Amino acid sequence: MSPELRQRIIQVCDQKVGSKGAGVGLSFYAFFQNRNDNPQELMSAATWWIQAHELDHFEKAVKIREMVLSELRCSQD
């Protein structure tokens, strides 16, 4: 997953939690515009979400944010 996509995921999760609370759920589609202008990035998010982590269609934004941040911390070590 690209660094830009990771940052976007964290940003979107922060925005959703900030506006709707810690219980808000989202799918990987939340990180993209309505049109599919970057299919490679969309597939990267889908692969991470579905294949790598076997997540449900909707997951709590706080969980996704923590997963991405945890992976970033591990990759920096």
Side-chain angles (χ1 to χ4, degrees):
M1 185 181 323
S2 72
E4 294 83 12
L5 179 54
R6 288 178 201 264
Q7 281 303 119
R8 186 174 334 125
I9 289 171
I10 293 167
Q11 180 182 24
V12 168
C13 289
D14 285 345
Q15 289 172 345
K16 295 287 186 182
V17 170
S19 66
K20 298 187 179 194
V24 68
L26 47 78
S27 77
F28 66 87
Y29 290 113
F31 312 120
F32 299 92
Q33 299 296 324
N34 287 335
R35 63 182 195 276
N36 186 7
D37 58 354
N38 192 336
Q40 289 177 325
E41 201 168 68
L42 178 64
M43 287 306 296
S44 175
T47 300
W48 180 89
W49 192 284
I50 297 166
Q51 289 182 328
H53 296 288
E54 298 179 354
L55 298 171
D56 289 338
H57 185 74
F58 285 96
E59 292 286 349
K60 295 203 182 297
V62 291
K63 174 182 177 179
I64 299 303
R65 181 181 179 277
E66 186 52 41
M67 290 173 71
V68 172
L69 287 172
S70 176
E71 289 179 6
L72 276 173
R73 286 189 292 267
C74 288
S75 69
Q76 292 173 350
D77 292 341

